Amino acid sequence: MNWMNPDNVVHAALNKIGDVIIANLLFLLCSVPLITIGPALSALYHCMLRTVKGNHTFTVKTFFSAFRQNFIQSFLIWIGLCAAFIITALNLRFLAHTVSPAGQIFFLLTCGTAVLLAITALYVFPVIAAFKGTWKMQLKNALLFAFSHLPSTLLIVVVSTLPMVMTWLDVGLLPLYACCWFFFGFGLTAYINSLLFYRMFRPYLEQI
């Protein structure tokens, strides 16, 4: 077996592991101001979608190229989603203490809004990573993909949230979890999700 052959299974696996680790570290680096998490997520998913497709190029160059190209759109959508989440959370806090029938209805509607925002946040940055379009088109496509592939959406929600919930609840293993998140956690989550996203996006993709 030729271990240096690019088509070798071990060689391909090592390439993917390297892509995940490098992209994860770059994502953390570019997310330090917090307000740039949106562009960093788009760049992370751009790298992971290329990895799933089998395009092994220079991860650093690919990441920063995508980060720069999608910065404005990803930044504005991220800020908008954060503002919407804050308003929704404040409404939920207020409505939780309401006992009137109308208040309970508004509470349920606000819960639905929170779910819709969460699903949008999970989908819109991979959509930006894969497609070009206006911000309205990107948000529309994110929701169309999400609700036309509900089983995959549920799996993406589990993959994206379960590790974070485990980290939050298991305080005793927090140093281990922190180490995992630092080196590969975000990248691995994006890679697993990208396996599902690429299957959805592939019929509409020209080039990633």
Side-chain angles (χ1 to χ4, degrees):
M1 181 181 292
N2 185 358
W3 297 100
M4 300 305 295
N5 186 347
D7 296 326
N8 180 272
V9 176
V10 176
H11 191 278
L14 290 175
N15 275 336
K16 290 183 178 181
I17 293 172
D19 289 342
V20 168
I21 293 174
I22 293 172
N24 188 86
L25 294 174
L26 292 174
F27 168 75
L28 290 176
L29 176 65
C30 293
S31 297
V32 170
L34 296 182
I35 60 173
T36 57
I37 289 178
L41 269 175
S42 295
L44 175 63
Y45 271 107
H46 185 85
C47 291
M48 293 300 96
L49 285 168
R50 288 181 65 89
T51 299
V52 169
K53 187 179 179 181
N55 291 353
H56 295 291
T57 55
F58 294 103
T59 304
V60 176
K61 181 179 179 180
T62 301
F63 184 96
F64 282 113
S65 176
F67 183 83
R68 183 178 63 256
Q69 291 175 7
N70 298 320
F71 183 87
I72 294 178
Q73 188 175 72
S74 300
F75 175 78
L76 293 177
I77 289 178
W78 170 252
I79 295 299
L81 285 172
C82 287
F85 271 119
I86 292 172
I87 294 172
T88 303
L90 292 175
N91 285 338
L92 284 174
R93 183 177 180 182
F94 172 76
L95 293 170
H97 302 288
T98 304
V99 295
S100 66
Q104 293 177 357
I105 292 174
F106 279 114
F107 179 79
L108 293 176
L109 289 174
T110 307
C111 287
T113 301
V115 171
L116 190 63
L117 286 172
I119 292 174
T120 302
L122 287 175
Y123 268 82
V124 70
F125 298 107
V127 167
I128 292 173
F131 303 102
K132 300 296 181 183
T134 64
W135 65 270
K136 290 183 180 179
M137 186 182 299
Q138 302 289 44
L139 290 171
K140 177 184 176 181
N141 289 337
L143 292 175
L144 286 174
F145 278 119
F147 288 101
S148 60
H149 299 84
L150 283 177
S152 295
T153 297
L154 292 175
L155 187 54
I156 288 168
V157 170
V158 172
V159 170
S160 301
T161 59
L162 183 60
M164 293 186 179
V165 172
M166 292 173 60
T167 302
W168 178 265
L169 295 178
D170 199 347
V171 180
L173 292 177
L174 187 58
L176 175 61
Y177 284 126
C179 184
C180 292
W181 283 113
F182 180 81
F183 285 105
F184 61 83
F186 297 102
L188 182 60
T189 300
Y191 176 78
I192 295 173
N193 285 340
S194 292
L195 294 172
L196 299 169
F197 284 129
Y198 183 69
R199 187 178 63 182
M200 299 180 215
F201 298 165
R202 184 167 51 187
Y204 311 97
L205 286 174
E206 294 180 0
Q207 183 178 3
I208 293 184

